[in-house]
Amino acid sequence: MGLFAVKLAVTPLLMALVTLVNRRFGAAAGGIVAGLPLTSGPISLYLALEQGLPFAGAAAHGSLVGVGAVLVSYLAYLLASRRSVLFSCFAGFGGFALWALAAGRIGSDTGLVLADLALTGLLLVLTRGASAGTRPARLPPWDLPARIAVSTGLVVMVTLAAPLLGPALSGLLAPVPVIAWPLIVFVHAQSGRDAAVATIRGTVSGAVGLCAFNLAVIRLAPTEGIALTYVAALSLSLAVSLALVGVLYRRKASS
């Protein structure tokens, strides 16, 4: 019961953090924070605590598939974003489903990571002109509660249903960006395509950190304890994400 209470407390706090960063520093900064393992990290840890490290390690492999599916959803959303927000949403979900089905044929962790990095590079190229300083319009009162409800619901659903879903499907669902997707859609609807593209660019920057996190869990879970596995995985994820963001914004500042 204590762990369930933690799930209900941590996710809303993370969602509030993303929202505050987005409002204070703009769409791209909010996207970068939303791209970190704010839901997949806690889900993976909860799976390790409740189902064991072998289950969490197998789920991390599924999460690498999920990261690629998320990136394809961003690509589809981006390509459709000159049309309506609703059409863009359907395109994004379609892209996610197609990649989730196709990537099951990629068996190795290395192959999945290379595919994810290639998709990340493509998206960063396509969003290169995005304005990092774009700020969203004033958000309605229901904005934050809606995001909190959706993100908390996914964390609770995946971890409670894990014994039925199994590690592969639990892992696939873990990186579903329930924080980033609503952020992109709300920004697109309220501030236009340019702000949505900036948010996608920021969020994509965090995908490299997600890959590092899941790869660390896969490698460490079979032999190390929970504490070392997740401290190392989170540290590696943060280091990789911050390094990539630093490179991207140094290039932008010098251009």
Side-chain angles (χ1 to χ4, degrees):
M1 191 64 181
L3 187 57
F4 184 76
V6 170
K7 296 176 189 178
L8 294 180
V10 170
T11 306
L13 289 175
L14 294 174
M15 186 67 256
L17 171 65
V18 173
T19 301
L20 291 174
V21 170
N22 185 64
R23 292 176 179 176
R24 175 65 179 83
F25 297 105
I32 291 168
V33 176
L36 295 173
L38 299 181
T39 53
S40 57
I43 286 175
S44 181
L45 176 58
Y46 299 147
L47 291 177
L49 291 170
E50 296 174 344
Q51 308 299 327
L53 275 171
F55 189 103
H61 176 86
S63 290
L64 289 177
V65 177
V67 170
V70 169
L71 291 171
V72 173
S73 78
Y74 290 150
L75 178 61
Y77 191 101
L78 180 67
L79 296 176
S81 60
R82 295 190 183 279
R83 303 182 66 175
S84 70
V85 174
L86 183 61
F87 180 81
S88 302
C89 289
F90 280 121
F93 287 130
F96 181 93
L98 287 174
W99 183 263
L101 293 173
R105 300 178 180 274
I106 304 176
S108 71
D109 300 328
T110 302
L112 289 170
V113 169
L114 290 176
D116 292 348
L117 293 179
L119 288 166
T120 300
L122 175 61
L123 280 161
L124 290 175
V125 170
L126 292 177
T127 59
R128 187 167 42 196
S131 172
T134 304
R135 293 179 181 271
R138 181 180 294 275
L139 300 176
W142 50 262
D143 169 70
L144 181 56
R147 297 187 208 179
I148 287 175
V150 173
S151 56
T152 305
L154 179 75
V155 170
V156 172
M157 181 197 75
V158 171
T159 53
L160 290 181
L164 297 176
L165 296 174
L169 189 52
S170 297
L172 175 67
L173 294 176
V176 168
V178 292
I179 292 176
W181 273 349
L183 183 65
I184 292 167
V185 173
F186 289 150
V187 167
H188 190 187
Q190 296 165 16
S191 300
R193 182 179 184 273
D194 289 345
V197 172
T199 306
I200 289 173
R201 181 176 177 80
T203 304
V204 166
S205 303
V208 178
L210 285 174
C211 288
F213 176 87
N214 287 301
L215 198 56
V217 172
I218 291 170
R219 296 290 184 262
L220 295 174
T223 58
E224 307 298 337
I226 288 179
L228 179 58
T229 295
Y230 285 94
V231 168
L234 182 58
S235 299
L236 181 61
S237 173
L238 289 172
V240 169
S241 295
L242 290 174
L244 177 61
V245 170
V247 169
L248 291 175
Y249 282 91
R250 265 202 309 273
R251 287 182 178 177
K252 188 173 183 65
S254 62
S255 61

